[in-house]
Amino acid sequence: MGIGDMELESNKDHDDVGAPDTAHQISSDSWLQVAFVLTTGINSAYVLGYSGTVMVPLGWIGGVVGLVVATMISLYANALIAYLHEYGGQRHIRYRDLAGFIYGKKVYSLTWALQYINLFMINTGFIILAGSALKAAYVLFRDDGLQLPPRDYNIPGEGMGKVFTTIGASANLVFAYNTGMLPEIQATIRQPVVKNMMKALYFQFTVGVLPMYLVTFTGYWAYGSSTEVYLLNSVHGPVWVKALANISAFLQSVISLHIFASPMYEYLDTRFGVKGSALNVKNLSSRIGLRGGYLTINTFVAAFLPFLGDFMSLTGAISTFPLTFILANHMYLVAKKEKLSGSQKCWHWLNICFFSLLSLAATISAIRLIAVDSKEYHLFADL
C-alpha cells in the first residue's frame, strides 16, 4: 500500500480536534521547524558511527543498498504513524496515547515502556559519543596519531561471527532514520497536522538524508574495513581541523541528547505540574532535580557499558523495530481495516511478520555482541 493511497484514505484535519493535557506547547511550529528537528535526528553525531557499524559489516553493495532501502521503508512506516495522529476524532500527541486508544491499557503501558527504553538507549549512545569526542580531542593534542593503514573493503570476520555481525548491522540501518517519538514531534506542528507532517517527512527522507549518505559513504571509502566505530578516530589531517570536528560532535551530541529526552521531560513536567516560565525558581529547581536525575542515570549506564555500536544494534532491535515497523503496521491495519483491500491487509501482515523475525534475530545478535565485547573490555572501560 503506497503513501498516495494513504493520503486518499486519511481523514481531513480539523482545528477542533481535541488533545490531552500537557505542560508543553502543541500546534506551535511550522512544518519547516519540524523538518529541521527530524533532520537533526538523522544527521546527529551518530552519523560518525555508521561507516564503522553499517558499511564495515555489510560492505559496499550491502551497505549502500541497505541504507537506501531503509530510507524508503522508514519513510513509509513513519507515514503510517503520521496518518493516525488524529484517528478517532482526537489528537494523539504521545506514542503511548495512540497505542492505548487503539488497543487498550495494557498495550498503552507496553508501548510506553518500549518507547522510553528506546529513547533512554539513544541518549546513552549520545553520551558515549560525546565522551568519545572529548577523548579524541584530548588524544589529538597529546599524540599526533598513527599512519594511515592501506584500505581494505573486505567484510571482516568469519563463520557465525560474521553472520551475527551482519544481522546486527541490519538493526543499525533502521536505527539511523527513526526517532522513536514521531507522535510527540507531530504534536508540535501547526494545523493541518497530517499534511504538514508529511511535508516534514518528505524533507527528512530526501534532503535530510544526503549529509548522512555523504559522511557514511565517504568515511568507508577513505578507511575501508579498518574504519573505527567512531569515524573521527580514523581521520588524519591538521590538528585544528580534527579538534574542531570533535568539539562540534561533542556539542551536537549534547543538543541532540536533550531533543531525544524531551518526551521524558514532558512526562515529568506534566506529572509534577511544572508549567510557566523556565526561570521561575520553583520550576527551575524542579527541572534541574528531575531532569538532572534522569541524565545522571543515563550517564552511569553509558560509562558502565560504553560499546557504541552494540548499543545502536540493541536499540534498533528491541525498540526501533517494534515501535516503528511492527506496531506502526499493525496499528494502521486495525485502524483502517474496514477500508483496506485483501491485498493491502496481506501487505501489512507481511511487514509485521518480517520485521518481527528480523527484530528477534537482531536482538540475539546484539546481545551476543555485547557479551563478546564485555569479555574483551572490562566494565567502565576506557575505549
Side-chain angles (χ1 to χ4, degrees):
M1 183 179 184
I3 293 176
D5 296 323
M6 290 189 293
E7 290 177 352
L8 292 175
E9 290 188 2
S10 66
N11 295 324
K12 293 182 179 179
D13 297 288
H14 298 285
D15 291 334
D16 59 353
V17 173
D21 290 335
T22 175
H24 291 192
Q25 290 185 343
I26 61 174
S27 299
S28 59
D29 297 338
S30 68
W31 73 266
L32 274 174
Q33 288 173 284
V34 173
F36 177 77
V37 172
L38 290 169
T39 302
T40 302
I42 283 184
N43 296 309
S44 65
Y46 270 119
V47 301
L48 297 173
Y50 299 147
S51 295
T53 61
V54 172
M55 298 301 295
V56 170
L58 295 180
W60 274 118
I61 296 176
V64 173
V65 173
L67 281 169
V68 173
V69 171
T71 302
M72 295 186 289
I73 64 175
S74 296
L75 170 59
Y76 179 75
N78 279 279
L80 292 178
I81 300 171
Y83 276 104
L84 294 176
H85 190 75
E86 293 185 328
Y87 173 65
Q90 67 182 67
R91 292 188 68 175
H92 306 283
I93 65 171
R94 307 176 185 95
Y95 215 128
R96 62 184 184 273
D97 291 347
L98 176 59
F101 185 85
I102 293 176
Y103 300 113
K105 188 174 181 179
K106 290 184 179 180
V107 178
Y108 172 94
S109 301
L110 176 61
T111 304
W112 193 4
L114 278 175
Q115 184 187 28
Y116 281 101
I117 289 172
N118 182 68
L119 297 176
F120 182 87
M121 294 180 71
I122 289 174
N123 282 337
T124 299
F126 274 124
I127 294 171
I128 295 173
L129 272 170
S132 298
L134 281 181
K135 180 185 175 181
Y138 164 74
V139 170
L140 182 65
F141 287 100
R142 186 198 66 187
D143 185 356
D144 287 332
L146 304 173
Q147 290 186 352
L148 183 66
R151 287 178 290 186
D152 176 15
Y153 297 117
N154 291 320
I155 299 175
E158 57 184 41
M160 289 305 297
K162 192 172 185 178
V163 172
F164 279 114
T165 303
T166 301
I167 294 174
S170 68
N172 292 337
L173 286 173
V174 298
F175 174 88
Y177 298 100
N178 298 284
T179 62
M181 55 178 188
L182 192 74
E184 286 81 357
I185 295 175
Q186 191 170 2
T188 68
I189 207 165
R190 296 172 189 162
Q191 293 284 359
V193 292
V194 173
K195 182 178 179 180
N196 284 335
M197 192 63 186
M198 289 309 302
K199 289 180 181 179
L201 285 173
Y202 288 139
F203 184 92
Q204 175 194 4
F205 286 99
T206 52
V207 177
V209 299
L210 297 181
M212 190 199 76
Y213 287 165
L214 179 63
V215 173
T216 302
F217 298 151
T218 302
Y220 184 62
W221 169 81
Y223 306 107
S225 59
S226 65
T227 306
E228 297 278 355
V229 171
Y230 178 63
L231 179 60
L232 293 182
N233 283 340
S234 300
V235 172
H236 296 263
V239 171
W240 72 269
V241 174
K242 293 177 65 177
L244 180 61
N246 279 294
I247 293 172
S248 297
F250 168 75
L251 294 175
Q252 209 275 346
S253 296
V254 173
I255 294 171
S256 296
L257 168 69
H258 290 290
I259 292 176
F260 282 88
S262 58
M264 176 58 78
Y265 294 165
E266 188 273 337
Y267 166 73
L268 293 172
D269 289 350
T270 303
R271 172 67 177 80
F272 294 99
V274 182
K275 297 182 179 180
S277 172
L279 298 179
N280 178 281
V281 175
K282 180 182 177 181
N283 290 344
L284 186 61
S285 59
S286 296
R287 283 173 173 159
I288 290 175
L290 294 170
R291 299 181 182 187
Y294 173 71
L295 295 179
T296 298
I297 296 172
N298 245 165
T299 304
F300 175 81
V301 174
F304 188 70
L305 289 172
F307 312 127
L308 177 62
D310 300 351
F311 262 100
M312 290 166 62
S313 297
L314 188 61
T315 303
I318 69 173
S319 52
T320 305
F321 273 129
L323 282 175
T324 307
F325 299 102
I326 301 171
L327 191 59
N329 274 279
H330 196 268
M331 284 194 301
Y332 195 83
L333 186 64
V334 172
K336 304 289 186 178
K337 59 183 177 181
E338 302 299 331
K339 298 181 179 180
L340 299 179
S341 65
S343 61
Q344 289 171 333
K345 291 178 181 178
C346 287
W347 164 250
H348 287 290
W349 275 116
L350 178 64
N351 284 327
I352 293 166
C353 294
F354 173 75
F355 287 112
S356 295
L357 292 173
L358 196 56
S359 176
L360 178 61
T363 299
I364 295 172
S365 174
I367 293 174
R368 177 186 174 277
L369 287 172
I370 290 177
V372 170
D373 283 342
S374 295
K375 291 179 181 178
E376 185 176 351
Y377 302 104
H378 60 79
L379 301 179
F380 297 102
D382 179 15
L383 299 183

